[in-house]
Amino acid sequence: MRNHTMRTLLTGIAACSLSGIAAAQVVETERVIPLTGWGYDEIYADGRSIDNMLDEGEVYGPGGEEIGSVENVLFHTDGRVLSIIAQVGGLWDIGDTHVNIPWDQVEITGNRVTIPVTEETVEDYSLYADELITGQEASTNIEEVDDDVATAARVWRATELLGDYVRVRDEDTYANYGYVEDLIVRDNILAAVAVRTDVGWTGTRGAFAYPYYGYDYGWYAGRPYYDLPYTTEEVGEVEPFDYEQID
């Protein structure tokens, strides 16, 4: 796994009262998927690991030449995948640069990521105004951007969630559970968040995947905690997640 997902968890982080977290929201009951009916078959069948894409993805041009690597993935707050940010041009006279490619124009086969950018066309892509990417722009344009470009409120980067601390509900408080180890995309949507339990977790340890809620449950880009709408007992109902079964 990528180093940024191996953030050391501090077991001394204090649990926080549910009523004291201004950003947290309670997901409507009917929108929470019961973990008793949650399984991995569909994401095993055609899910895609974003952490693996960032770690091992190799970017190729339309002519089949290797031109760079995947630097980040942009998401809408509703979980839709908008685009990827790739560093390209190492073999070009212009040197390394970053480009933003709409997800529907990216072809992915294993670790091979093909984008419609060439040495002749890359300089035609201007920066967004004020280096700000909006959801509409990210889904309809290819533009040259910096890896650390600011994003609009409704757009966030994969690396802003990877490595975040994960907590679960424990009566009227949050209990420290682990950290976000991976994001699993299926059908162009962020379908699941893979969590690695903390060494201090007293329940079953390992990697587990849960439905993505994100902004519906108070998480936002820049917030250090990713809270699950499940109790300490409910998370124990999930089987360990097997990375070997996913692309």
Side-chain angles (χ1 to χ4, degrees), residues 28-239:
E28 296 177 9
T29 304
E30 62 270 20
R31 298 187 61 188
V32 176
I33 300 173
L35 294 181
T36 52
W38 167 252
Y40 303 145
D41 289 346
E42 291 182 342
I43 56 179
Y44 279 159
D46 53 10
R48 185 170 300 282
S49 164
I50 294 300
D51 186 79
N52 186 67
M53 181 184 296
L54 297 181
D55 193 30
E56 302 182 13
E58 299 174 342
V59 175
Y60 291 79
E65 70 283 9
E66 185 175 353
I67 59 175
S69 59
V70 179
E71 294 294 306
N72 228 319
V73 179
L74 297 184
F75 292 88
H76 192 280
T77 55
D78 61 12
R80 285 179 292 126
V81 192
L82 297 175
S83 60
I84 70 168
I85 293 177
Q87 179 174 294
V88 301
L91 300 178
W92 299 343
D93 291 338
I94 63 172
D96 290 336
T97 189
H98 289 86
V99 291
N100 181 38
I101 305 94
W103 185 254
D104 60 6
Q105 296 186 30
V106 177
E107 297 181 10
I108 305 174
T109 304
N111 293 326
R112 185 187 182 101
V113 179
T114 303
I115 62 175
V117 178
T118 67
E119 180 178 6
E120 290 70 32
T121 62
V122 66
E123 292 184 352
D124 294 336
Y125 305 126
S126 62
L127 289 172
Y128 287 110
D130 300 322
E131 296 189 347
L132 179 68
I133 300 174
T134 67
Q136 181 178 2
E137 289 169 329
S139 62
T140 57
N141 296 283
I142 302 174
E143 295 290 344
E144 183 180 352
V145 298
D146 184 85
D147 183 39
D148 294 323
V149 66
T151 56
R154 63 180 180 275
V155 180
W156 55 276
R157 300 184 295 273
T159 52
E160 292 177 298
L161 178 53
L162 286 166
D164 275 9
Y165 301 119
V166 178
R167 302 184 300 185
V168 294
R169 296 182 62 176
D170 184 9
E171 297 182 353
D172 62 346
T173 64
Y174 280 125
N176 301 319
Y177 182 48
Y179 64 95
V180 177
E181 185 173 60
D182 204 351
L183 309 177
I184 310 301
V185 169
R186 178 176 180 270
D187 293 336
N188 305 321
I189 293 289
L190 177 52
V193 172
V195 177
R196 176 70 61 174
T197 56
D198 178 30
V199 294
W201 179 248
T202 57
T204 305
R205 297 179 184 176
F208 304 89
Y210 302 96
Y212 167 74
Y213 293 104
Y215 278 71
D216 285 337
Y217 198 56
W219 179 85
Y220 54 85
R223 186 170 190 258
Y225 297 107
Y226 179 79
D227 296 324
L228 292 171
Y230 301 112
T231 65
T232 55
E233 292 77 15
E234 288 174 321
V235 294
E237 300 172 354
V238 178
E239 294 294 322

